[in-house]
Amino acid sequence: MEKQCSYMKALKCRECGHEYALEATHVCEFDFGPLEVVYDYERIQGRLTREVIQSRPQTMWRYRELLPIAGEPTVGTQVGYTPLVKADRLAKRLGIRELWVKNDTVNYPTLSFKDRVVSVALSRARELGFTTVACASTGNLANSVAANAASVGLDAYVFIPHDLEQGKVLNSLIYGARVISIKGHYDEVNRLCAEIAGKYRWAFVNVNMRPYYAEGSKSMGFEIMEQLGWKIPQHTVICMASGSLLTKIHKSYQEFSKLGLAQSHPWKIHGAQATGCSPITTAQKAGLDFFKPVKPATIAKSLAIGTPADGFYALKVMKETGGHGEDVTDDEIREGIRMLAECEGIFAETAGGVTVGVAKKLIAQGRISAGDSAVLCVTGNGLKTLDAVAGHAGETREIRPSLREFEAVLALDKPDLARS
Ligand SMILES: *Cc1c(COP(=O)(O)O)cnc(C)c1O
Ligand SMILES: [Zn+2]
């Protein structure tokens, strides 16, 4: 029995509109369309005001009425409300009037935006009576499921492709989760997880719990609008794996606009991928409504999904908002990581390098005008993908502990200072 503080009405097929009970299920029986949570916006309207939101703690749960749980959150209650940084130095470097970085590299507790989706999925999983949670992951999701499950004593099984970065693997193992490494790409991991989910009564956060999980991404958009002074940004650049985050940030803008919580004006949503795994942006650039699956080969392993579950809907959002897709090479990803670090003091993982690199391209192409304002969604922390930048971040200068040797080095940088 759902409590009265739930504002969810049902799960609904995005294709045929057929409605389902609010259980752990994610595809329509008739056409295999994805299911999405529907809310009672009439009841939310008037209850969720700017004042109510501002009176609550600074976490993603301050928008609780628009998140899909029935009672109070019980997992990840501290997640979200990460900084929105005014990135003036990066703006100058990229040639745009105003630039903001939504900095989820410091999200709590596992330093990526995945803590948002996991806190929702696990809170909902407990409401539905699950005691074992699981996921198919490109790394960050596994970290977040492992940590958040540990924090409340849920059993966790996380499934990852075998070739992930050491940092991502250790960041799952340390919490005591069972880490299953699959000899194959993410798509094969995902297929196996669908089979397992059909057999065991486990809450797979991005399989049978996917409708709830995906809604958690909206909180990133809600925060951006509130932090901009209840405004929807003109341009938002978002990196894509399955494409879910991109579609949900768009949904967050629609919801705040519908509820009168943010000023409504046209906005553009731009999608970013790595060239080595760019099924969605390749289709967007070719003007197609459907993507062609690919075999990933990129240093942006967190984004390496060759058959993106929400790719079709991500294409639709870009088309409807007049946004664009672009992709960047491994070298451009590293350059993006370095630019963000040097200009703003933010060390992002490869996915952040993808976002910055693509923003640079879109500005240079004039698709984001130099006179406009843009938000870049930076979704994960560079400390977890050190392998990607090792050997590309400059070199230390080793000397003996002698002033003379130091000044010899200093003279290379600042001849005047070293002479005096
Ligand atoms: C998972 C992930 C994404 C993209 O997620 P989707 O919602 O599947 O598109 C972006 N950045 C990072 C760091 C991620 O881990
Ligand atoms: Zn359907």
Side-chain angles (χ1 to χ4, degrees), residues 201-256:
R201 207 186 120 69
W202 292 358
F204 268 89
V205 303
N206 56 342
V207 184
N208 52 347
M209 296 299 290
R210 192 170 178 88
Y212 308 101
Y213 155 97
E215 289 288 294
S217 291
K218 292 191 306 189
S219 63
M220 197 166 181
F222 295 147
E223 291 172 17
I224 289 170
M225 291 181 280
E226 181 180 351
Q227 289 168 318
L228 282 176
W230 309 102
K231 285 197 200 100
I232 301 171
Q234 278 181 299
H235 300 273
T236 312
V237 185
I238 305 158
C239 53
M240 302 183 288
S242 72
S244 174
L245 173 65
L246 180 139
T247 64
K248 294 296 178 175
I249 287 186
H250 178 60
K251 186 176 179 187
S252 77
Y253 294 174
Q254 288 177 317
E255 287 182 336
F256 263 25

Side-chain angles (χ1 to χ4, degrees), residues 153-274:
L154 289 164
D155 260 349
Y157 280 79
V158 303
F159 297 79
I160 53 174
H162 66 105
D163 63 347
L164 286 193
E165 303 92 343
Q166 268 300 307
K168 295 265 171 79
V169 177
L170 288 172
N171 264 290
S172 294
L173 286 168
I174 199 70
Y175 304 107
R178 294 279 180 277
V179 179
I180 316 290
S181 173
I182 311 289
K183 293 174 189 143
H185 287 303
Y186 174 83
D187 292 311
E188 293 159 287
V189 177
N190 196 43
R191 207 174 316 129
L192 173 65
C193 286
E195 256 182 85
I196 298 169
K199 181 150 184 202
Y200 298 90
R201 207 186 120 69
W202 292 358
F204 268 89
V205 303
N206 56 342
V207 184
N208 52 347
M209 296 299 290
R210 192 170 178 88
Y212 308 101
Y213 155 97
E215 289 288 294
S217 291
K218 292 191 306 189
S219 63
M220 197 166 181
F222 295 147
E223 291 172 17
I224 289 170
M225 291 181 280
E226 181 180 351
Q227 289 168 318
L228 282 176
W230 309 102
K231 285 197 200 100
I232 301 171
Q234 278 181 299
H235 300 273
T236 312
V237 185
I238 305 158
C239 53
M240 302 183 288
S242 72
S244 174
L245 173 65
L246 180 139
T247 64
K248 294 296 178 175
I249 287 186
H250 178 60
K251 186 176 179 187
S252 77
Y253 294 174
Q254 288 177 317
E255 287 182 336
F256 263 25
S257 158
K258 179 173 13 206
L259 293 167
L261 291 168
Q263 269 174 36
S264 194
H265 62 77
W267 63 82
K268 290 189 182 190
I269 305 276
H270 307 281
Q273 292 202 294

